Amino acid sequence: MKIATWNVNSFKVRLPHVLDWLATTQADVLCLQETKMEDKVFPYAELLAAGYHAVHNGQKTYNGVAILSRSEMTDVHLDIPDFADTQKRVIAATVDGVRIVCGYMPNGQAVGSEKYAYKLQWYAALTRWLQQEIAQHPRLALLGDFNIAPEDRDVHDPAAWKDQILCSEAERAALRQLQALGLADAFRLFDQPEKIFSWWDYRQMGFRLNRGLRIDHILLTPALASLCRTCVIDKAPRKLERPSDHAPVIAEL
DNA sequence: ATGGCCGCTTCGAGCGGA
């Protein structure tokens, strides 16, 4: 089973890239973030024609998450329970006995800002909910744009990013708290080359110079981590015309 | 020194992203 995550930065713009990528990779499940569209314009028909069911939790302009799956999905769930949030950042569904949770974690804007506080609260709420969700679904995968680079080796220039947003100690601690539920970073289950990233700034030739961060992740419970055979970041779509600033991450279970 | 890109909203400057 191939499961993947991709922040597409507008699904309207990136639909052709996603359809091409699905045809090439034959992923079984693809989690999308930043669809930036309302549900009434979501391209269900185009996806179905390509062989994928879809569930979507969207809103106009900002945020928006979706799960695409070759198999039908059950027990679809939107948002974090008992956490008041107008931003559409979470969708979950069960696919072939695997609980898939797709998340678009808050960016946080700047350390110490209101959005930063929201980000930390959001992570705490996610962790509380997932503790229960994992108890009910031992085979669970959390995929998405985490907006946190877990360690300095996930940052092209750790000195420049030290204590900055996406890299601050409190953010990394929040991610460790989440992983303390037993969630393993699929990418780090394997030997990986150095300087592998999943996001590069559009500005200043960020991609060509490989000035990136690894902020898109696939986290697996022990029952799934033991089944995981590979996890890679596919840079190919980042080289296309009008790319997303993120590259997809894909794991094989 | 600052911002330098992209997408969105809805025509165009400002916001958000990371």
Side-chain angles (χ1 to χ4, degrees):
Chain A
M1 184 181 195
K2 283 185 172 182
I3 64 173
T5 180
W6 194 359
N7 180 325
V8 290
N9 185 20
S10 167
F11 198 28
K12 182 183 177 182
V13 174
R14 237 62 70 184
L15 179 61
H17 288 187
V18 171
L19 291 174
D20 287 349
W21 190 81
L22 289 170
T24 302
T25 61
Q26 295 290 303
D28 295 290
V29 172
L30 175 59
C31 295
L32 302 178
Q33 301 86 39
E34 287 206 87
T35 58
K36 297 187 177 180
M37 56 173 57
E38 292 180 289
D39 196 47
K40 63 186 179 189
V41 297
F42 192 85
Y44 292 104
E46 290 90 331
L47 291 165
L48 208 51
Y52 288 86
H53 304 275
V55 292
H56 180 227
N57 186 16
Q59 66 189 106
K60 196 179 168 93
T61 312
Y62 301 117
N63 309 309
V65 284
I67 303 173
L68 316 185
S69 169
R70 298 171 78 88
S71 297
E72 292 208 37
M73 289 171 272
T74 58
D75 301 304
V76 178
H77 179 88
L78 311 184
D79 306 323
I80 300 172
D82 304 316
F83 180 70
D85 192 359
T86 57
Q87 303 185 25
K88 303 301 188 185
R89 296 182 173 279
V90 168
I91 189 166
T94 299
V95 181
D96 296 331
V98 175
R99 190 65 173 161
I100 300 289
V101 181
C102 169
Y104 174 47
M105 290 54 164
N107 169 282
Q109 198 163 59
V111 174
S113 66
E114 276 185 33
K115 287 177 182 174
Y116 184 74
Y118 163 71
K119 180 178 191 171
L120 296 177
Q121 288 164 10
W122 197 97
Y123 260 91
L126 177 71
T127 302
R128 283 195 298 273
W129 171 52
L130 282 184
Q131 181 161 25
Q132 302 165 18
E133 195 73 1
I134 290 168
Q136 290 172 29
H137 307 278
R139 292 161 61 94
L140 181 145
L142 172 64
L143 307 89
D145 176 357
F146 285 66
N147 268 315
I148 297 176
E151 301 176 67
D152 278 353
R153 61 178 167 163
D154 301 309
V155 180
H156 71 93
D157 185 348
W161 282 87
K162 183 176 166 54
D163 299 328
Q164 299 300 304
I165 196 66
L166 316 182
C167 299
S168 73
E169 207 27 66
E171 289 167 272
R172 287 176 171 176
L175 180 55
R176 285 195 297 270
Q177 280 283 102
L178 174 61
Q179 292 198 244
L181 299 176
L183 293 167
D185 181 347
F187 186 78
R188 293 298 178 201
L189 293 174
F190 308 97
D191 284 329
Q192 300 285 0
E194 289 184 9
K195 302 199 182 300
I196 299 295
F197 308 120
S198 68
W199 169 86
W200 302 261
D201 202 304
Y202 282 125
R203 294 168 290 188
Q204 288 190 287
M205 301 189 295
F207 182 66
R208 273 201 279 171
L209 298 171
N210 198 31
R211 291 182 182 156
L213 304 175
R214 192 176 70 91
I215 56 176
D216 300 271
H217 309 300
I218 297 176
L219 304 188
L220 303 173
T221 55
L224 292 184
S226 62
L227 298 176
C228 188
R229 287 174 290 160
T230 67
C231 181
V232 296
I233 297 171
D234 183 3
K235 287 173 75 169
R238 190 62 174 77
K239 301 171 184 171
L240 301 172
E241 289 287 318
R242 278 190 99 184
S244 168
D245 43 357
H246 294 253
V249 186
I250 184 162
E252 264 186 282
L253 306 181

